[in-house]
Structures are given as structure tokens and as C-alpha cells.
Amino acid sequence: MGRTKLAETKPDAPARMRRDALTPPVEFAGDAIVWAAWLYYEEGLTQEDISRTLGISRGSVVTMLQEARENGTVSIAVATEHLRSVTLARAIKARFGIRDCLVVPGDGGRSADHDRVGRAAAKLLSETLRPDDVLGVSWGRTVLALSQAMVPQVLPGVSVVQITGSAIGTYRFSAEACASNIANRIGGRCVYLHAPGIVSSAEMKRMLMNEPTLIEQFRIMSTCNKIIYGVGSVEASSTAFDTGFLSPEEGQPYRDRGAVAVLAGRFIDAEGRVVDGELDDRLIGMTIPDIALIPERICVAAGPDKAAPILALLAGGYVTVLVTDEATAQALLAMPEPPGG
């Protein structure tokens, strides 16, 4: 309405190469065309403004907007899906002050939320990993889906580190499987944590933590500059309890003290504070304060029971990048700020 009709010109090859080299904000899922369409149709920027913002020629902008119309990005059916997700992602970034957010559109129930979010997070991780990164990896349904969706690439300098100990009950989504899948797909080194996730006593933990092998593994763990993890609720149906990693009896004292989220086997309350208990003296793995020190903290979580746990992590400042589904994003934005938040 009132806009100049787009020219029918095509960019030359160097212009297309420059366009292909663009790195859109994460909420646009790596799609420069959606980015350009958003700036033009939603934010009202001129083609010249977009040219300066993206660092490409105006002719390339013209062609990108034309492609957006031709491929259905700008249409009643498809544009609504893309733009709604971008709107939610930007609202989450603004409200919680995180660096990036990617919201995966719903598909009418055709696939599981954790699979769709896992695939989107795999693409994001593939685009952000750099040679010599040390990536910490937890476990869970969504993290496993991510690990299985990683596109093979060659990043031999990357180390992928298991951040929680092992447990027989977690074999379906074990930390070992999640870490090894990612390492195998990028040609990186996998550093396993050779210890149980939960041991029988505090004394046993002290003994194991003095073993030279574990000392070295924790030293490597302390060098992580990126971490990717899921978060669980404290309900019996959540992965942490459903797999047998934690028993309902072990979790009850934490629930009684206000815990609403489980991260790497540790408990967090609604305000993002660590909830300590007897179990912590028997857990072997990265602690919440350890996680908070890692510069890039990518949380991948989806499903109707994840809004409150995600809100707790955001309140505690444990998230720099969030990847979630549309329904969870809507639920998260509808929730009130936690007490003291």
C-alpha cells in the first residue's frame, strides 16, 4: 500500500554471494529473505534502509523481497506463521533480556514438539559452533533430538563434553548418547564423564572426585565456552523422574522447598535460586554455578510443562539463547513475573 512497485531486476553473482554470506538474527532461523521481508513489511523500513542494515546492494534487497513473495514467505498463509514466531521471539528477548531466541512454529500436531525444536536447535548450533569451541552437553529428549539432527560437518578442533554422570535409566536420552552423536557429526573430540550421575553416599563422591581421571575430566569441563541443555519440571512425568535418574522420593524435599525446575539434576526455584539438599552431596556433574559461568548458554525446551521451568532459568540468568516452540513461548509470555523478578 503506497509502496513503490518492486523492480524486476536480478542481482549479479557477486551481489548474490554477499547476500548468501549474511548472518540473520537467530529468530529468523538463518533465513535472510525472511529477515528482509520482516524489515520491509513489519518494521516499515525502505529498501534503502534495508540495504544499509544488511550491508548489501539495493538491487539485492529488491530481489530478496521479490523472492519472499514468490516462495510464499509473504502471503496470508505462510507469512502469518513466520511473522508470529518472530513476534514471539522478539517479545521474549525484550522481556527477559536474553541475547537470542528462536521460536519454532507449530505444525498442527503432525510431529512432536521436542523433535521440531531439536531440529531447529541443531541448525542453530551448526551455524554457531567454531573451531576450538568446548561445548558442554546435558541430556534429555530435546537434546537427543538435536544431536540426531546435526548435519555432518568438519570441526575437528571442537571438544564435546558430557556434563552429567551416567545413569542406567537414562539410556534412551543419555548424556553419553547426546554428546557422542554431536561429536561424531562434527568430527570433534568427545569427552565422557566416567562416573555415575548419583552415587550412594557423600563419602563415595569425595573418593571419586579425587581420582586423577575425574580431576582431568572436570578440568576440561571447566573450559566450556558453550553449553546446550534442556530443562525439566519437578513433576513425576518429567524426564528426570520418568527415566529413573531421580526418584520421586529424592525430589520431594526439593519440591517442598519451592523447586520448580531441574537442570542437569540440580533443582531451581521460581526466582532462579538454587535449591540445595542432601542429594547434591551425591550428584556428580556440573553444578548450576558452573553453568552460570559459561559465556553462551543455549536452552532447548518444548512442551506444555516447560513454561514454568524456563521462566525459572530466565529469572536466574542461566539462559543466553532460548529455542522453544510456539505454544510454550505463548505460555511463557502469559506468565507473571516471578516474585522478586
Side-chain angles (χ1 to χ4, degrees), residues 25-30 85 88-90 92-93 96 98-105 112-128 141-143 145-147 149-150 227-232 296-304 306-307 309-311 313-314 318-330 332:
V26 69
E27 61 263 33
F28 298 103
S85 296
L88 289 169
R90 291 203 156 189
I92 288 172
K93 286 172 61 175
F96 300 106
I98 61 174
R99 196 188 74 213
D100 281 314
C101 179
L102 175 59
V103 174
V104 181
D113 293 333
H114 65 268
D115 283 335
R116 288 184 294 107
V117 169
R119 289 193 298 270
K123 185 174 186 296
L124 171 64
L125 184 61
S126 295
E127 293 170 351
T128 57
R141 289 182 178 88
T142 311
V143 178
L146 176 158
S147 74
M150 290 286 291
I227 186 170
I228 194 148
Y229 61 84
V231 60
E296 187 166 341
R297 304 178 295 280
I298 307 170
C299 176
V300 295
K306 296 300 177 72
I310 293 171
L311 184 62
L313 296 188
L314 291 166
Y318 306 119
V319 181
T320 60
V321 180
L322 174 64
V323 185
T324 191
D325 64 296
E326 185 178 327
T328 304
Q330 290 171 333
L332 182 62

Side-chain angles (χ1 to χ4, degrees), residues 14 34 42 65 90 94 99 101 151 188 224 240 245 268 293 314 322 340:
V34 176
E42 289 296 305
L65 294 174
R90 291 203 156 189
R99 196 188 74 213
C101 179
V151 176
C224 287
F245 182 79
I268 299 171
L293 293 174
L314 291 166
L322 174 64

Side-chain angles (χ1 to χ4, degrees), residues 108-174:
R110 291 188 298 274
S111 61
D113 293 333
H114 65 268
D115 283 335
R116 288 184 294 107
V117 169
R119 289 193 298 270
K123 185 174 186 296
L124 171 64
L125 184 61
S126 295
E127 293 170 351
T128 57
L129 276 175
R130 298 291 180 266
D132 302 320
D133 275 346
V134 182
L135 174 69
V137 177
S138 72
W139 59 278
R141 289 182 178 88
T142 311
V143 178
L144 180 64
L146 176 158
S147 74
Q148 294 171 330
M150 290 286 291
V151 176
Q153 56 184 310
V154 181
L155 288 170
V158 175
S159 294
V160 183
V161 184
Q162 177 185 338
I163 69 159
T164 61
S166 305
I168 293 175
T170 66
Y171 70 93
R172 287 175 293 169
F173 335 102
S174 70

Side-chain angles (χ1 to χ4, degrees), residues 144-208:
L144 180 64
L146 176 158
S147 74
Q148 294 171 330
M150 290 286 291
V151 176
Q153 56 184 310
V154 181
L155 288 170
V158 175
S159 294
V160 183
V161 184
Q162 177 185 338
I163 69 159
T164 61
S166 305
I168 293 175
T170 66
Y171 70 93
R172 287 175 293 169
F173 335 102
S174 70
E176 297 97 315
C178 295
S180 63
N181 283 347
I182 294 173
N184 289 338
R185 282 162 172 76
I186 65 173
R189 174 179 68 152
C190 189
V191 180
Y192 296 105
L193 183 54
H194 296 300
I198 304 174
V199 294
S200 57
S201 67
E203 179 59 29
M204 177 60 70
K205 176 179 176 178
R206 284 192 291 271
M207 291 172 60
L208 287 174

Side-chain angles (χ1 to χ4, degrees), residues 19 31-35 37 41 63-79 82:
R19 188 186 85 188
D31 194 328
I33 291 176
V34 176
W35 186 18
Y41 291 103
T63 301
M64 290 169 76
L65 294 174
Q66 182 174 318
E67 287 184 34
R69 295 198 308 274
E70 292 173 352
N71 69 19
T73 298
V74 179
S75 69
I76 294 174
V78 180
H82 282 292

